């Protein structure tokens, strides 16, 4: 993962907007983890985005340089010395990223105040990949400081990083391709399971409200 060009994702957005089965006038974005900050970047710079939902996403650009036209956003800095490794060899990387509110790392904060959409932040409060709640709160502060609507933030105590659709087994740890070692994702099984069930409902209700203008009345079953 060396760099991202937002034009690649813009092509997908335009394809969806022109699709005969897409009602329009805008579309929704759903992103998890790195996909979350990509969705924030898409919402900030691209046209046609009406609603953006993030699952344990970042509001700073992470992992690789982001380009769009003449704009370049550097990745948030990382300090590998802050990684803790357990006796079993599993790393806890929650403190590895720098603070996007400090020094040169402020350049990595995505200008989400440019977005013309509503935001939903789904947050696992036991996320050990990074500080998802911090990102959600700081994103909310920035939006409101620029006169934008306060985003919805739904926090789940005991939920880890991989909040997936209901009844997917919790992934407590696995190989992290960027760090090249197994890492812990966080989460307590029961609380995480319950979070996945509720988050599924929250995300659907959010998209129904902002994409159709109607409350969610359809079946939420998989």
């Amino acid at each position: 993962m060396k760099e991202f060009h937002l034009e690649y994702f813009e092509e997908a957005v335009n394809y969806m907007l022109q699709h005969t089965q897409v009602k329009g006038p805008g579309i929704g974005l759903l992103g998890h983890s790195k996909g979350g900050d990509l969705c924030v970047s898409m919402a900030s710079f691209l046209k046609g985005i009406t609603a953006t939902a993030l699952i344990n996403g970042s509001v700073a650009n992470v992992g690789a340089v982001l380009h769009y036209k003449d704009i370049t956003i550097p990745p948030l800095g990382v300090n590998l010395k802050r990684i803790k490794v357990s006796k079993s060899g599993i790393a806890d990387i929650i403190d590895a990223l720098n603070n996007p509110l400090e020094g040169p790392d402020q350049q990595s904060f995505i200008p989400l105040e440019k977005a013309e959409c509503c935001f939903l932040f789904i947050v696992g409060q036991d996320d050990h990949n990074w500080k998802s709640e911090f990102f959600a709160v700081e994103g909310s502060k920035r939006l409101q400081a620029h006169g934008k609507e306060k985003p919805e933030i739904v926090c789940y105590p005991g939920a880890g990083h991989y909040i997936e659709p209901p009844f997917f087994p919790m992934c407590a740890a696995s190989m992290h391709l960027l760090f090249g070692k197994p890492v812990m994702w966080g989460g307590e099984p029961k609380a995480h399971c319950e979070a996945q069930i509720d988050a599924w409902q929250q995300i659907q209700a959010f998209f129904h409200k902002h994409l159709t203008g109607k409350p969610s009345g359809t079946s939420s079953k998989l």
Side-chain angles (χ1 to χ4, degrees), residues 55-154:
I55 302 173
N56 288 326
S58 166
V59 291
N61 181 48
V62 178
V65 177
L66 182 81
H67 300 283
Y68 182 60
K69 296 181 178 177
D70 59 347
I71 298 167
T72 298
I73 301 180
L76 190 60
V78 177
N79 186 339
L80 299 180
K81 293 180 180 178
R82 293 197 292 259
I83 296 176
K84 303 180 185 74
V85 181
S86 67
K87 291 180 180 178
S88 62
I90 297 175
D92 186 350
I93 62 173
I94 191 170
D95 294 318
L97 290 174
N98 291 347
N99 187 335
L101 304 180
E102 299 175 352
D105 287 296
Q106 294 177 72
Q107 297 175 47
S108 301
F109 205 121
I110 302 161
L112 72 169
E113 69 275 5
K114 295 180 182 292
E116 298 177 357
C117 72
C118 298
F119 286 96
L120 166 66
F121 290 87
I122 298 290
V123 174
Q125 291 181 308
D126 192 39
D127 183 355
H128 276 260
N129 182 68
W130 53 34
K131 299 174 182 176
S132 296
E133 187 171 10
F134 167 79
F135 288 139
V137 170
E138 292 306 322
S140 178
K141 288 179 183 176
R142 182 154 176 161
L143 285 167
Q144 292 178 81
H146 287 83
K148 294 300 181 80
E149 182 181 344
K150 183 179 181 180
E152 295 179 50
I153 301 177
V154 183

Side-chain angles (χ1 to χ4, degrees), residues 10 13-14 17 27 42-43 45-49 68 116:
E10 185 173 37
V13 169
N14 291 337
L17 288 169
I27 63 169
M42 291 169 70
F45 296 112
L46 306 183
K47 301 294 183 184
I49 312 298
Y68 182 60
E116 298 177 357

Side-chain angles (χ1 to χ4, degrees), residues 5-70:
H5 292 271
L6 214 54
E7 287 86 352
Y8 173 83
F9 301 93
E10 185 173 37
E11 185 178 346
V13 169
N14 291 337
Y15 172 81
M16 292 296 290
L17 288 169
Q18 295 165 15
H19 198 287
T20 56
Q21 292 184 326
V22 173
K23 180 182 177 182
I27 63 169
L29 303 176
L30 172 63
H32 171 263
S33 193
K34 172 61 191 176
D37 73 72
L38 279 171
C39 284
V40 174
S41 294
M42 291 169 70
S44 301
F45 296 112
L46 306 183
K47 301 294 183 184
I49 312 298
T50 302
T52 300
L54 314 174
I55 302 173
N56 288 326
S58 166
V59 291
N61 181 48
V62 178
V65 177
L66 182 81
H67 300 283
Y68 182 60
K69 296 181 178 177
D70 59 347

